[in-house]
């Protein structure tokens, strides 16, 4: 007996909007790590490596809040 509703997780995750969000987060994380490595090598800044993921999380929060506001005030 087949289930009545088919739920495919990969089709929910693998959308173009989610790909853009993931690429943005990875880019932000890459930039944070490269900035930390350069500033550590030059001695310009002392970086706490535990805080390196915070910019990527901030970008994710901004994207989520922006999407929620856009969906809330969408014209029908």
């Amino acid at each position: 007996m087949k289930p009545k509703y088919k739920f495919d997780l990969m089709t929910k995750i693998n959308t173009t909007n989610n790909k853009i969000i993931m690429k943005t987060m990875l880019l932000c994380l890459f930039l944070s790590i490269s900035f930390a490595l350069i500033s550590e090598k030059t001695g310009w800044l002392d970086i706490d490596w535990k805080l390196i993921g915070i910019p990527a999380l901030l970008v994710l929060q901004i994207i989520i809040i922006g999407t929620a506001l856009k969906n809330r005030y969408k014209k029908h």
Side-chain angles (χ1 to χ4, degrees):
M1 182 172 186
K2 289 188 176 182
K4 193 172 187 178
Y5 299 104
K6 184 179 179 185
F7 180 75
D8 191 10
L9 185 63
M10 287 308 290
T11 57
K12 292 280 186 182
I13 293 174
N14 204 11
T15 62
T16 56
N17 197 16
N18 288 345
K19 287 180 185 177
I20 293 170
I21 291 171
M22 290 301 291
K23 286 179 184 178
T24 306
M25 284 183 55
L26 287 174
L27 177 67
C28 189
L29 193 62
F30 173 73
L31 290 174
S32 298
I33 290 172
S34 61
F35 176 76
L37 284 173
I38 291 171
S39 63
E40 189 77 25
K41 291 285 183 186
T42 59
W44 182 57
L45 267 172
D46 188 26
I47 301 293
D48 188 10
W49 288 95
K50 296 174 194 166
L51 304 175
I52 205 72
I54 289 178
L57 292 175
L58 289 174
V59 167
L60 178 65
Q61 287 179 348
I62 290 169
I63 290 171
I64 289 172
I65 291 170
T67 305
L69 288 173
K70 183 175 71 173
N71 288 340
R72 179 177 177 149
Y73 296 112
K74 187 185 294 185
K75 294 181 180 178
H76 296 287

